[in-house]
Amino acid sequence: MKLFNTYSRSKERFLPKGKTVGFYTCGPTVYAPPHIGNYRTYVWEDVIRRYLGHCGWKIRHVMNITDLDDIVLREAKKKGVGWKRLARKYEKVFLKEKRSLGCLDAQAYPRASEHVLGMARLAQKLLRKGHAYKDEKGDVYFDISKFGLYGKLSHFSPVMKAKKKISRQDYWQHEAGDFILWIKCRANGSGACWNTPLGYGRPAWNIECPAMSMKYLGEEFDIHMGGTDNVFSHHENEIAVAKCATGKGFVRYWMHVKHLLLNGKKMSKSKGNVIVLADLLQRGYSAREVRAALLSVHYRRRMNFTLARMERIAQYVRRVGTALRRVEKAAQKGAYAENARELAAAKRKGKDALECFEYNMNDDFNAPHVMLHCCNLVCWADGKAKIRKLGRKSALLVLKTVREMNSVLNVLEI
Ligand SMILES: [Zn+2]
């Protein structure tokens, strides 16, 4: 099986280190309901995880919940509620919606706020090793000039004319600089401050994920995934933190899901150009149809989401569903006595479909192509069912094959 590794910018054969694949996916920042662009990433991560399982690997999937971040604290303050209350509310929304989209649960959902001590220790380790420094205010920064590989993931070479410190956690591509790891609390206004060996304060986003991923998956693990907007700076910074702290390789395969545009434009709350799952459910689409729509474009291609596309995919899923019901009927009480030649044809069709499924999924998870081929098999069987020429054995065989493919894609009710 080959997958595209952002780190090497090439398709590589997937060879996990141990028996269990360590799979870390950056989870949501819980201050509002995720939009469908976020869910595109989570749904693709689910398909990739399921396919690894289909290939026989055991998976340990960890997804963090970012409940401790500038944006959560800011939103809570704006709304006049406690940050924890706000975070728990949207964590619940996220988990419920993700499940409704047919995604398997991660084995662990560590919350940042419950791992503060580990994060403080990690920052301390970097201070001790000379990779980080405390500024005059007591905040801790990572010194990117001391890490020669900085920029390797994003292929971005920082120009370090003058030492630049970036204390905001959400900065842009042109803003490479020493990034913040730890924020010293001067007054306990937000309540999000902890007493740690590093002092009274709270961690910044970029130290959260490396601390939690290494705690749950070890200092080296196989796959780290997220949206493409995480490549720089979040994942670049994660690599710097983890590699400098441990001296080990950290992650073997970095995978990223490209942006989703809404009607050709970047989704932006302030411009009102946002769609959340609830909007689509309200329009009468099922979560499964939304899942199919989000999978209809390969994860490494940018997807333009429009209602026209949503409608087209939903109709397709319904059509295949109706066809499947007829095949199911034939499997239950099909009276047609098929001959050996017809059964052999069904077997061949099923084998072809599975081969096609594995061939395409082995090539960096080409699920959109599989979705079309899955239909071919169903349509073929349905064609025979309609003229009452589908035997019971053939129907069962087709259903078994479709079930196997659907255990990865999970876009059909079967
Ligand atoms: Zn992360």
Side-chain angles (χ1 to χ4, degrees), residues 20 52 62 138 143 245 252 340 370 387 414:
T20 302
L52 293 173
V62 177
D143 184 350
R252 269 180 287 278
V370 169
I387 52 167
I414 178 169

Side-chain angles (χ1 to χ4, degrees), residues 187-208:
N188 191 357
S190 60
C193 296
W194 284 259
N195 270 314
T196 72
L198 196 58
Y200 188 57
R202 66 181 164 87
W205 185 39
N206 291 311
I207 201 159
E208 293 181 357

Side-chain angles (χ1 to χ4, degrees), residues 75-222:
E75 276 298 308
K77 202 172 164 192
K78 214 160 70 187
K79 292 198 165 91
V81 293
W83 64 270
K84 221 179 224 178
R85 231 180 104 194
L86 182 84
R88 296 298 174 266
K89 177 182 165 186
Y90 287 111
E91 177 186 311
K92 239 188 200 163
V93 170
F94 163 71
L95 291 174
K96 193 173 160 228
E97 289 188 339
K98 188 166 84 82
R99 283 174 195 140
S100 80
L101 284 166
C103 298
L104 296 169
D105 265 322
Q107 276 95 340
Y109 288 108
R111 291 174 180 147
S113 67
E114 289 166 4
H115 295 78
V116 171
L117 191 61
M119 293 162 194
R121 290 213 175 105
L122 189 57
Q124 256 187 327
K125 206 171 177 183
L126 291 167
L127 278 168
R128 250 195 336 264
K129 288 190 159 191
H131 283 291
Y133 59 90
K134 239 181 207 177
D135 74 351
E136 62 286 350
K137 287 190 285 183
D139 295 339
V140 179
Y141 285 84
F142 185 92
D143 184 350
I144 64 167
S145 68
K146 299 259 174 66
F147 181 53
L149 293 174
Y150 194 81
K152 184 140 192 300
L153 177 76
S154 53
H155 292 250
F156 174 62
S157 33
V159 185
M160 281 173 288
K161 281 182 188 155
K163 203 141 184 86
K164 190 170 161 193
K165 283 195 310 179
I166 291 163
S167 60
R168 288 186 350 272
Q169 295 180 35
D170 50 345
Y171 56 93
W172 297 97
Q173 186 128 11
H174 59 280
E175 288 186 293
D178 291 352
F179 56 88
I180 194 156
L181 297 172
W182 184 264
I183 302 141
K184 186 185 169 181
C185 281
R186 285 158 266 276
N188 191 357
S190 60
C193 296
W194 284 259
N195 270 314
T196 72
L198 196 58
Y200 188 57
R202 66 181 164 87
W205 185 39
N206 291 311
I207 201 159
E208 293 181 357
C209 277
M212 291 187 283
S213 59
M214 290 195 287
K215 178 178 171 171
Y216 288 85
L217 296 171
E219 290 176 347
E220 281 189 351
F221 59 92
D222 297 301

Side-chain angles (χ1 to χ4, degrees), residues 26 209 234 238:
C26 281
C209 277
H234 182 49
E238 274 195 46

Side-chain angles (χ1 to χ4, degrees), residues 24-27 64 66 205 208-210 224-225 230 234-235 238:
Y24 187 88
T25 53
C26 281
N64 67 299
T66 305
W205 185 39
E208 293 181 357
C209 277
H224 194 314
M225 261 192 101
N230 282 330
H234 182 49
H235 290 165
E238 274 195 46

